[in-house]
Amino acid sequence: MRPTITASCLFAVTVILLPRPTQSKEDANEWWKHAVFYEIYPRSFADSDDDGVGDLKGIESKLPYLRSLGVDAMWIAPCFPSPQVDFGYDVSNYEDIAPIYGTLADFDRLVSRGKQAGLGVILDFVVNHTSDHHPWFLDSRSSPDAQHRDWYVWQDGRSPRQPPNNWVSLFGGSAWMYDAQTAQYYYHYFYPQQPDLNWRNPAVEAAMLDVTRWWYRRGVVGFRLDAVDTIFESSSLTDNPVLSGLNKLGDLIELEKYNRRDPQNHKVLQRLRRVADEFGAVLIGETWTEDIQSLKQYYGDRDDELQLPMNFLFATVNRLSPPAFRAQIAAAQETGKWPVYLLGNHDMVRSYDRYGDRSHDDAIAKLMAVFYLTLRGTPILYYGDEIGMQNNDPKRREDVKDPIGFRGWPKEKGRDGERTPMQWTEAENAGFTQGRPWLPVPPSYRRHNVETESRDPASILSVYRNVIALRRSTPALHDGRYEAINKEDPHVLSYLRISGDDVVMVALNMSSTRRSMRPDFREQGLGPFRLKPLLATQGASATGSTMVLPPFSALIVHVVGNP
Ligand code: GLC
Ligand code: MG
C-alpha cells in the first residue's frame, strides 16, 4: 500500500481540501450517487416577507449558506397550491406555486440561481392523493357520471351507514368518507381532505406522468415520491386483519394487508422512472419497509424503479448501538444496490432527541453526522439537523397545528415539533422572520444557530461542513467500498472505506466511556501502517497505530503505509 498525499497539520475538526476526484462518464450520469441531498421544509426555512411562513425567496437568499454547507441538491417539500390541511401534502394544483411561497417566476429564478451555485432542485410529488379542493376531485364528487368520477376510489357502503370495509386511515378514523351528494364513500388513506387517486384509471396515470414532464422542463432534476406504498389498494376490498389494542389515535391496529404495499405500486414507479430517464432525472422514494428485501424491490428488478429509495430501517435504529447499526449497514450492502441514508425528516422526531442522552447531545449529534456522511451511499440531511435543532413539541393542545396532534392529544402530539423554523441567528425568532413564526422556536436556538455555530470550529455545523468537504476530497470517502472491521466491538463502530490505494478508517465511540484501540488490518492484507487524522470530534486522537476515543467521539483517519 502506498502512502496517500494529504497535508499534515490538523486541528480539532479541520480538514484539508483536495481537488475533487475526477469523474468518469458513467459517474456524471449518476451524479446523485456522490451528491449530498438536503431536505427543506419550505414553511420553516426562511421567511422573506415576514408573514411568519417561509417562502421561495427565502430559500433563494440562503443559497450561499447551502453552498457553504456543501450540499448538491435540495428537496423542497410540497410548495404547490394547497389548502394546507397537511401543510402542502394536499395538493390542489400540481402545476403552480402556492401564493404563500411565491410565484412560478420565483421558482424559475430559484432553479436558475441554484444551478449557478451547483444546487439542483428536487420537488416532492404527492402521487397517492390530491386535495379535496383539486378540480379533479371537485368534478369527481359532483355526480356519478362526472368526467373525473373514476379518478378517485368510490364505493357503496357495506350497508346503510356502514363504510365498505374496516380499513383505517393513518391519520385517524375510517379510511372511507361518506359523500351525501352521490351517496357513496371515497377512500382516503391520509386525511379526509386527501382523497386517494385511482391509479387503475389510465387517464390518472397519463395526467400524473405529464405533471412530472412539466416540472422537468422547468429544470427540476428529480422528485421525491411521497407515500409510494399506498398508491394501490386491493380491488377485493377485503377487511384487514385486526391486531389487539388501539393505536395512539384510538383506532384499531390493523395489519395493512389489503391497502398498503400492493405489488402494482411497482408498475407506477417503473412508468415514472421511464419519464425520469428521458430527462436524466433522479427519483427518491419515501419507502418505509418492514425489511431490507422489500426495500431492495424499490430499486426495481431491472434497476428500473427508484434510484434512491430511502432506508428507514437505518433511520429508525433509534439507539446508539454498534451491533444494530452494523447489521443494518451490512444488510443494505448485501442488496448490491446503492444505499440511501438519512437520520430524519419532517415526519420523525428530530435525530438530536432520538439519539441524544440529555447530557452529551451535541457530541452525539456530531458523532451521528460523521457516521451517515462517511458511509457508502447517498446521504439526505434534514434542515436544521446540521445545527443540532431539537424537537419542540407543542405544550398545549390549542397550539397544535398538525391535525393528528389535535386528534391524538396528548398521546400523539403531531409533527409540529420537528418542523419548527430554521435557526439562523441569535436574534428574536432565530432570525427566521420579523413577523410571528407559524411555529415557535425553542429556547435552545440561542446556542444552536447558524451564526453562532459558524464562529465555532468545533460546533455541530462545523463538523457537518468539514465531513461533507472530506467526502468530496478524499477518494475513499467519495466512492470507496465499505468494509466493516472490529465487528464484535459493542462500543465502537468502525469501518474502512477503500478506493485503490486510498484507505480511510472511521471510528465512532457510541459509548459514554473512553476507549482506546489499536486497529489491525491483517484480514484486509494490509502491512505496517500508521494512522493520520483527517477529522476528530471531542478530542479523539491517533498516534502511530493507536486511537484514543473519548466518550461519544468520532475519528476519521487515513491509513497510511509505513514502509
Ligand atoms: C408522507 C409525508 C407526510 C404526509 C403524508 C401524506 O408520509 O412525508 O408528511 O403527511 O405523506 O401525504
Ligand atoms: Mg413568507
Side-chain angles (χ1 to χ4, degrees), residues 86 89 129 171 190 194 224 226 286 346-347 415 419:
D86 193 15
Y89 284 95
H129 49 268
F171 290 162
F190 297 97
Q194 295 168 301
R224 175 265 190 185
D226 183 63
E286 191 204 9
H346 62 283
D347 300 321
R415 298 163 291 178
R419 299 173 172 180

Side-chain angles (χ1 to χ4, degrees), residues 440-471:
V441 172
S444 53
Y445 84 87
R446 292 189 186 279
R447 214 157 46 83
H448 287 139
N449 65 69
V450 171
E451 188 181 61
T452 308
E453 292 190 42
S454 292
R455 289 193 296 258
D456 173 3
S459 67
I460 300 172
L461 179 58
S462 295
V463 171
Y464 266 87
R465 283 188 170 133
N466 292 336
V467 186
I468 293 172
L470 260 186
R471 263 180 82 87

Side-chain angles (χ1 to χ4, degrees), residues 2-57:
R2 271 178 306 162
T4 46
I5 342 119
T6 40
S8 50
C9 80
L10 249 257
F11 306 100
V13 280
T14 314
V15 293
I16 285 81
L17 291 188
L18 295 175
R20 277 192 188 212
T22 43
Q23 291 200 340
S24 68
K25 255 227 179 90
E26 188 192 322
D27 258 13
N29 292 334
E30 299 194 328
W31 60 272
W32 40 267
K33 277 195 175 174
H34 302 295
V36 177
F37 289 77
Y38 186 90
E39 178 188 355
I40 291 179
Y41 198 68
R43 289 186 81 82
S44 298
F45 196 60
D47 180 14
S48 74
D49 58 0
D50 296 324
D51 64 351
V53 173
D55 42 59
L56 296 184
K57 280 193 180 139

Side-chain angles (χ1 to χ4, degrees), residues 514-534:
R514 183 173 179 271
R515 322 289 316 173
S516 66
M517 61 195 272
R518 280 177 74 92
D520 129 27
F521 306 120
R522 269 174 295 186
E523 218 182 285
Q524 283 72 33
L526 303 186
F529 63 89
R530 83 201 138 77
L531 304 175
K532 241 171 128 180
L534 290 171

